[in-house]
């Protein structure tokens, strides 16, 4: 996401810019942190403990000089200020607010911001219910809201319940473990189901799953294609990748499995006999980005061995045909259903 487009990040710092809140001395915790000029303008980059599990955002923060963690720093640290950019999924957002409250030092405050069309009013109401409301501001079609200084007067029982709302749990009849906030977290995504149905039983060799999520499509590859000898899962969202590793653990002794917290758009480290992918076409901040899926296809073409096959699924309207035809020797639509298209493309160079 470009800094100019990140209105919630800009609005998050508005109470400090207007003098309504003071930046405290010492470290500040920033949950679901994103990089942008407001961080640099605040001049406190070195103070931030940033928690970000989405790899491209984490890398941008690292380049800016922030300390970045995939999860809350160990040792139960406490902070005078916790900044939060809550996600759209409400259970995940409530759990994040409870987590923010749990890491406040006495007298500390939580400051959160969301865009109006991503649940800002609900988020504000949730924080008010959990810990009371100290104030709010609106700008850039966003709402920033914060607690009064906390001295242990919050609803502790509610905080404990909310902290468990995004906990991993069984889904799909217990076949998988997932959690709120992960893509299609409580169901088999119909696009991935459609693609899995097109996988040939004779698929063989070492493959990759680009954008693996909690591991549904990888599990289908291993269940349907007994000649597969290895599979590398690439996923930018660390919370999803941890679930995928948990879900595929029973198969670890049968095939070589690799798990990579990785931004696929940056390229892959090796070549593959086949690649499967249900690529994303927006960022976690809901920014519409069909170019991400196009880049997944380009990277797959670069990383396949001659004659290797790509199995990709997408919404029917997404503009993938030109890049597929430009990068592959053979392209065919294998199936269409419910607004999705499953495409098989073979790289030229081997019969």
């Amino acid at each position: 996401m470009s800094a100019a487009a990140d209105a919630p990040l800009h609005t998050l710092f508005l109470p400090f810019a207007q003098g309504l809140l003071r930046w405290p001395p010492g470290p500040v915790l920033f949950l679901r942190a994103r990089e942008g000029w407001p961080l640099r303008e605040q001049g406190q980059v070195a103070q931030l403990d940033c928690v970000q599990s989405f790899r491209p955002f984490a890398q941008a923060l690292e380049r800016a000089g922030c300390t970045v963690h995939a999860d809350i720093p160990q040792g139960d640290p406490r902070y005078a200020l916790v900044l939060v950019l809550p996600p759209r999924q409400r259970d995940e957002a409530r759990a994040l607010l409870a987590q923010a409250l749990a890491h406040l030092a006495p007298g500390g405050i939580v400051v959160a911001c969301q865009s109006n069309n991503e649940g800002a009013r609900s988020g504000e109401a949730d924080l008010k219910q959990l810990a009371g409301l100290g104030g709010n501001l609106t700008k850039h079609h966003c709402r920033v809201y914060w607690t009064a200084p906390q001295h242990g007067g919050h609803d502790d029982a509610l905080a404990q319940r909310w902290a468990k709302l995004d906990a991993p749990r069984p889904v799909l009849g217990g076949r998988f473990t997932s959690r709120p906030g992960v893509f299609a977290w409580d169901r088999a995504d119909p696009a991935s189901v459609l693609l899995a149905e097109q996988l040939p039983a004779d698929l063989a060799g070492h493959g990759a799953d680009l954008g693996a999520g909690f591991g549904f499509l990888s599990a289908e590859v291993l269940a349907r294609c007994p000649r597969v000898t290895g599979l590398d899962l690439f996923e930018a969202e660390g919370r999803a990748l941890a679930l995928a590793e948990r879900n595929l653990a029973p198969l670890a002794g049968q095939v070589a499995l690799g798990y990579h917290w990785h931004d696929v758009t940056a390229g892959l480290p090796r070549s593959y006999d086949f690649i499967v992918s249900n690529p994303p076409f927006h960022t976690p901040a809901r920014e519409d980005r069909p170019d991400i899926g196009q880049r997944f296809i380009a990277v797959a073409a670069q990383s396949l061995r001659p004659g290797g096959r790509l199995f990709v699924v997408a919404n029917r309207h997404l503009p993938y045909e030109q890049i597929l035809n430009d990068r592959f020797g053979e392209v065919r639509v294998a199936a269409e259903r419910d607004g999705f298209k499953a495409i098989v493309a073979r790289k030229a160079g081997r019969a």
Side-chain angles (χ1 to χ4, degrees):
M1 172 180 288
S2 67
D6 199 341
L9 177 65
H10 295 185
T11 309
L12 179 68
F13 288 88
L14 195 60
F16 302 97
Q18 293 190 1
L20 298 174
L21 297 176
R22 296 182 62 184
W23 195 272
V28 169
L29 182 63
F30 191 178
L31 302 179
R32 297 293 194 273
R34 297 196 292 268
E35 196 277 331
W37 64 261
L39 272 68
R40 299 187 294 273
E41 188 176 68
Q42 188 69 31
Q44 305 292 346
V45 168
Q47 282 186 270
L48 292 173
D49 275 344
C50 296
V51 178
Q52 178 53 259
S53 58
F54 184 63
R55 187 61 175 154
F57 291 172
Q59 290 176 313
L61 288 161
E62 289 168 349
R63 289 193 293 268
C66 298
T67 300
V68 185
H69 312 269
D71 206 343
I72 295 287
Q74 296 297 310
D76 193 29
R78 301 289 173 142
Y79 301 84
L81 172 63
V82 180
L83 304 173
V84 189
L85 291 174
R88 184 176 191 174
Q89 211 284 337
R90 196 170 188 183
D91 282 350
E92 183 190 6
R94 282 178 162 177
L96 197 66
L97 292 176
Q99 192 176 50
L101 199 64
H103 287 87
L104 276 183
I109 63 171
V110 175
V111 183
C113 186
Q114 294 167 278
S115 64
N116 293 338
N117 62 0
E118 295 291 328
R121 285 190 178 276
S122 296
E124 180 181 338
D126 286 343
L127 186 62
K128 182 178 180 179
Q129 181 183 0
L130 184 65
L133 200 65
N136 64 50
L137 291 170
T138 59
K139 193 172 184 179
H140 306 308
H141 304 290
C142 296
R143 179 177 295 263
V144 55
Y145 47 93
W146 58 92
T147 65
Q150 296 292 299
H151 293 280
H154 63 274
D155 188 335
D156 187 61
L158 182 64
Q160 291 185 40
R161 290 199 301 272
W162 282 9
K164 301 174 183 177
L165 287 177
D166 76 335
R169 68 202 68 178
V171 297
L172 297 176
R175 184 183 175 201
F176 296 94
T177 297
S178 188
R179 64 192 302 187
V182 172
F183 172 71
W185 77 272
D186 59 350
R187 64 191 186 277
D189 176 63
S192 293
V193 172
L194 179 64
L195 186 61
E197 292 171 355
Q198 315 313 313
L199 297 172
D202 64 350
L203 195 64
H206 202 119
D209 182 354
L210 309 187
F214 65 76
F216 173 82
L217 191 53
S218 289
E220 289 293 304
V221 169
L222 299 177
R224 294 168 181 264
C225 310
R227 293 174 58 190
V228 169
T229 57
L231 191 63
D232 286 345
L233 286 73
F234 292 89
E235 174 55 53
E237 177 48 64
R239 297 168 81 245
L241 187 65
L243 293 166
E245 186 167 5
R246 179 172 175 174
N247 287 326
L248 270 63
L251 304 173
Q254 303 173 28
V255 294
L257 296 172
Y259 302 92
H260 307 270
W261 186 40
H262 184 76
D263 178 7
V264 169
T265 66
L268 302 182
R270 57 163 293 176
S271 297
Y272 294 98
D273 298 304
F274 68 90
I275 290 174
V276 299
S277 184
N278 181 357
F281 55 92
H282 54 71
T283 69
R286 311 302 296 180
E287 184 184 13
D288 194 20
R289 292 284 304 277
D291 60 297
I292 296 176
Q294 293 171 329
R295 178 60 184 159
F296 268 51
I297 292 169
V299 167
Q302 294 167 358
S303 302
L304 280 168
R305 297 189 177 101
R309 285 177 287 178
L310 168 65
F311 300 82
V312 64
V313 67
N315 290 49
R316 188 177 289 141
H317 71 276
L318 290 173
Y320 292 166
E321 275 75 13
Q322 182 170 345
I323 191 167
L324 283 161
N325 289 324
D326 288 346
R327 301 298 182 102
F328 290 87
E330 175 188 334
V331 178
R332 65 181 178 87
V333 176
E336 293 187 73
R337 187 173 69 223
D338 301 329
F340 301 108
K341 53 189 175 185
I343 300 170
V344 181
R346 185 185 294 272
K347 188 171 181 177
R350 190 172 67 199

